Amino acid sequence: MKFKQSDWEEFFPLDKPRAGQIEAINFCLEELFERGKDNVLLDLPTGAGKSAIAVTVGRYVASKQHEPANEDYRQGSYFLTTQKILQQQYLKDFSDESRGGMLELKSSSNYPCGYYTSQSCGESKRVLNVLGDAANGTDWKKHCTRQCAYTEAKKSFIEGHLGITNYSFFLAETNYVGKLEPRDLLVMDECHTIESEICKFVELEITDRFCKKHLGISMPAHEDQQKIFDWLVKTYQPKVNMMIYQLKKAIQAFKMGDTSQVFRDAAKQHEQLDKHISKINRYVERFEPDLWIVNREKKQDARGQKNSLQFKPIDSVQWTQPCLLRFGRKRIMMSATVLDKDTFCKSIGIDSEKTAYLSLASTFPKENRPVYYMPVGKMSMADIDTTLPKMLDAVKQILEAHGDQKGIVHTTNYKISRFLHDNLNSIRTLVHDDKDRDVVLSRHCDSSQPTVLITPSMTEGVSLDGDLARFAIIVKLPYPSLADKSIKKRITRDPWYYDYLTVRTFVQSLGRGVRSETDSCTTYVLDGCFDTFYKKNKKIMPKYIQEAIIF
């Protein structure tokens, strides 16, 4: 059967599908339900309307027109995205019943407890869980069993056909709590983040502060990965298990109805330790020296010096299926930066033969999104100190040329951001650190002045539509830092991975300022390394990006 618009038109949530949406919806339905593919990979530029595409397929699947039900999968679709702001956009667009009746689910800490109003559902559930049978028969337990706001939201989410949440919550909920069952369709938006989301979920951190204060032990001082693993298994893991046991006993000794801060803190710590031991157990079960790195980190936080051991997988391949993909009988993955089917499939460990791939061109006029290559000097490690003074002059000239417009300067790291901000000495420029990024972004968006963001970390997940960014400057190609041991080890094994990540971030950065067909933003690439980089990676650079670049 070859699908056509009339087969699914009643499920399209907006007024009228565009040509690209029609092509993509037909493609998804044919590949998943006629050709038997497990996955559909959609490489869709900004403005393609990918959420409406996925909602249409989800509504079609919910109608059960495709094939008989499978008892291993619940009817309906899960939609996952990276940020709460994107989650809210889905809800805004598709929560109306006529548009799909999409429902959202957040963590229990976002819902107020109806019995103890000074705390969240999460806090109440955490305490009741630790109390176990001791809480049976109490008014508190009865209320939280029958009238809990979070439980009601979760029940509606489970019973609905379209449900939206974020990767972080979904991974925790499905792998720790286990109440969300696999569904007919799993839609993964911003799918280029799947690998990082899973690795973040799996990675383990141990701090010297926790070891000394709570366990009475010290972290190993040596760097031998096998010896650190042995210490984890023989010393750290048993100590944490004992602490969990003792903490549970202490909590159960509290008087029923005690809602003191001490009690609540103890229950919270018990929950955190329970998740921590799960990560430890997972690491111990799957440890292979070639697939993990151990990183030492020292940094300041609110309580002073923090020294930690970080255990990170170098990829998500062994975790993608058990942690995420098994929750969809069929899967749709969408992003503006898939770039290359085989490379993407290899990066997260899915079978390329069982995956269909569609890439659409941008409908945004290239005249509205020119990318000028204006080499100032190379920004490689060997040349950056020589180039930075010249880069400062070039950025200053561009800011003067766009004196009455807002813009953004992508720097790749905080050192370059601070150098430019301090030496430009302009009231227009806004710079941030890793703590106040969102505050500074809001200041830029809210200001009536022609402010300019100088940032290493707004290459994606930020929408600077309209006058919020009429120009953008890329001062340094966004190569990932080789100071990250997991990146360095991965590149040693997979040399292609370094350029692939860089192209992906570069393309993402070009999408911050042009958000519709009538929007416009001029981009300047100043790093002299771009010419060589472009020639080397042209084959995976989207055609709609290539057509906008002016050498």
Side-chain angles (χ1 to χ4, degrees):
M1 172 185 174
K2 188 171 180 61
F3 282 86
K4 53 187 181 299
Q5 185 175 341
S6 58
D7 295 320
W8 48 260
E9 196 164 29
E10 65 180 293
F11 304 113
F12 189 74
L14 305 178
D15 293 336
K16 185 179 179 181
R18 301 192 294 271
Q21 291 174 315
I22 294 170
E23 181 182 355
I25 293 167
N26 286 336
F27 181 83
C28 288
L29 294 174
E30 287 172 14
E31 294 295 335
L32 293 175
F33 305 119
E34 288 301 313
R35 296 190 173 89
K37 298 291 187 180
D38 291 337
N39 313 300
V40 163
L41 194 52
L42 299 179
D43 205 342
L44 306 177
T46 302
K50 60 183 190 242
S51 56
I53 293 168
V55 167
T56 303
V57 178
R59 297 178 77 187
Y60 178 88
V61 170
S63 74
K64 285 297 181 183
Q65 293 180 3
H66 57 290
E67 56 187 50
N70 186 315
E71 62 182 15
D72 294 330
Y73 296 88
R74 288 185 67 93
Q75 186 179 15
S77 308
Y78 290 125
F79 288 71
L80 306 182
T81 191
T82 51
Q83 302 177 60
K84 289 180 180 178
I85 188 170
L86 299 175
Q87 186 175 326
Q88 290 303 310
Q89 189 62 50
Y90 266 93
L91 204 64
K92 176 184 175 184
D93 292 342
F94 308 115
S95 61
D96 188 273
E97 197 62 40
S98 65
R99 291 188 168 192
M102 183 166 281
L103 300 166
E104 74 166 336
L105 186 63
K106 298 176 286 189
S107 70
S108 55
S109 62
N110 289 281
Y111 300 84
C113 177
Y115 191 83
Y116 286 114
T117 56
S118 62
Q119 60 192 42
S120 70
C121 288
E123 290 174 301
S124 289
K125 283 188 169 296
R126 172 184 306 139
V127 173
L128 291 170
N129 181 56
V130 175
L131 290 174
D133 293 342
N136 290 344
T138 63
D139 290 342
W140 185 13
K141 179 68 175 286
K142 291 176 183 176
H143 182 279
C144 288
T145 301
R146 300 170 186 168
Q147 297 172 265
C148 172
Y150 172 69
T151 301
E152 287 300 312
K154 192 170 187 177
K155 181 174 181 290
S156 297
F157 183 86
I158 290 172
E159 292 175 352
H161 290 319
L162 304 181
I164 178 74
T165 189
N166 57 75
Y167 286 99
S168 178
F169 171 72
F170 187 80
L171 287 166
E173 182 70 19
T174 51
N175 289 277
Y176 291 137
V177 182
K179 295 291 179 68
L180 298 183
E181 299 176 352
R183 286 189 170 182
D184 281 334
L185 184 67
L186 176 64
V187 177
M188 291 159 278
D189 201 354
E190 305 296 333
C191 68
H192 63 279
T193 65
I194 287 175
E195 183 175 26
S196 61
E197 290 286 348
I198 292 176
C199 288
K200 186 170 59 177
F201 173 70
V202 169
E203 70 182 36
L204 168 69
E205 182 177 49
I206 297 171
T207 68
D208 63 340
R209 187 184 293 156
F210 175 75
C211 287
K212 292 175 181 177
K213 182 178 179 180
H214 297 287
L215 305 181
I217 59 175
S218 297
M219 293 194 310
H222 51 73
E223 300 297 328
D224 187 293
Q225 189 172 6
Q226 184 61 50
K227 288 182 179 178
I228 292 175
F229 176 80
D230 293 340
W231 170 85
L232 183 83
V233 173
K234 296 174 182 178
T235 302
Y236 186 77
Q237 189 177 28
K239 287 279 189 180
V240 173
N241 276 320
M242 179 56 68
M243 184 179 176
I244 291 172
Y245 173 79
Q246 292 172 341
L247 191 58
K248 187 170 184 177
K249 285 289 186 184
I251 290 171
Q252 290 174 340
F254 277 84
K255 288 180 63 177
M256 181 56 59
D258 189 340
T259 59
S260 67
Q261 191 61 47
V262 174
F263 185 38
R264 288 155 61 184
D265 287 347
K268 182 177 182 179
Q269 187 178 38
H270 180 274
E271 182 183 64
Q272 291 173 334
L273 285 173
D274 193 51
K275 291 180 178 179
H276 185 57
I277 199 67
S278 294
K279 286 197 171 193
I280 294 170
N281 295 339
R282 191 185 296 124
Y283 171 71
V284 170
E285 290 167 5
R286 297 288 188 98
F287 173 71
E288 292 181 43
D290 291 342
L291 300 180
W292 290 80
I293 62 96
V294 179
N295 185 53
R296 290 187 184 273
E297 183 177 83
K298 294 182 180 181
K299 67 178 182 180
Q300 291 291 125
D301 64 13
R303 291 186 287 169
Q305 178 76 24
K306 176 185 173 184
N307 301 323
S308 65
L309 280 174
Q310 298 172 333
F311 302 78
K312 297 182 178 183
I314 66 169
D315 63 38
S316 68
V317 169
Q318 63 177 322
W319 313 103
T320 306
Q321 178 64 34
C323 286
L324 182 61
L325 298 189
R326 68 184 180 91
F327 290 96
R329 182 185 190 183
K330 300 287 186 179
R331 279 93 57 164
I332 295 176
M333 306 177 201
M334 312 184 295
S335 173
T337 49
V338 173
L339 304 179
D340 180 78
K341 175 192 172 183
D342 291 338
T343 302
F344 178 86
C345 291
K346 189 190 304 182
S347 72
I348 65 170
I350 60 174
D351 189 341
S352 182
E353 292 297 316
K354 296 179 180 179
T355 303
Y357 174 70
L358 176 67
S359 176
L360 295 182
S362 175
T363 59
F364 297 177
K366 65 179 182 180
E367 294 79 16
N368 290 2
R369 47 184 179 86
V371 180
Y372 291 99
Y373 176 45
M374 300 169 55
V376 171
K378 293 183 178 181
M379 291 289 281
S380 59
M381 186 179 296
D383 301 298
I384 189 170
D385 289 338
T386 302
T387 301
L388 268 178
K390 294 183 284 185
M391 188 65 69
L392 174 66
D393 291 337
V395 171
K396 187 179 297 184
Q397 290 176 33
I398 295 172
L399 262 61
E400 289 173 355
H402 294 269
D404 60 348
Q405 295 177 324
K406 288 178 178 285
I408 184 169
V409 181
H410 298 289
T411 62
T412 301
N413 63 54
Y414 287 108
K415 180 181 177 181
I416 297 173
S417 289
R418 180 55 62 184
F419 173 84
L420 291 175
H421 175 72
D422 290 349
N423 289 280
L424 284 169
N425 194 26
S426 169
I427 60 172
R428 294 178 63 193
T429 59
L430 300 174
V431 69
H432 64 87
D433 55 29
D434 59 349
K435 300 180 183 65
D436 63 351
R437 173 184 178 274
D438 291 343
V439 173
V440 172
L441 176 60
S442 295
R443 192 183 308 160
H444 171 77
C445 294
D446 295 341
S447 174
S448 60
Q449 299 302 308
T451 51
V452 179
L453 289 163
I454 300 182
T455 172
S457 61
M458 293 189 192
T459 53
E460 62 179 279
V462 174
S463 181
L464 299 175
D465 51 309
D467 291 333
L468 294 179
R470 289 303 183 193
F471 70 96
I473 305 172
I474 297 174
V475 301
K476 185 180 187 304
L477 283 173
Y479 283 108
S481 173
L482 292 178
D484 186 326
K485 285 185 180 180
S486 59
I487 293 288
K488 192 171 184 178
K489 192 167 186 176
R490 175 71 180 274
I491 292 167
T492 300
R493 188 191 71 185
D494 303 323
W496 53 266
Y497 190 65
Y498 195 53
D499 281 347
Y500 178 70
L501 287 184
T502 307
V503 173
R504 194 171 76 186
T505 306
F506 175 75
V507 173
Q508 283 284 341
S509 68
L510 296 180
R512 296 315 93 215
V514 185
R515 310 298 296 175
S516 71
E517 292 182 358
T518 58
D519 205 353
S520 63
C521 179
T522 299
T523 298
Y524 305 90
V525 180
L526 307 185
D527 188 345
C529 296
F530 179 72
D531 188 23
T532 302
F533 172 80
Y534 177 79
K535 291 175 182 175
K536 181 181 178 183
N537 296 286
K538 186 177 180 180
K539 63 182 182 298
I540 63 170
M541 196 81 71
K543 293 291 190 294
Y544 69 88
I545 297 295
Q546 295 183 35
E547 70 181 13
I549 298 175
I550 302 166
F551 286 92

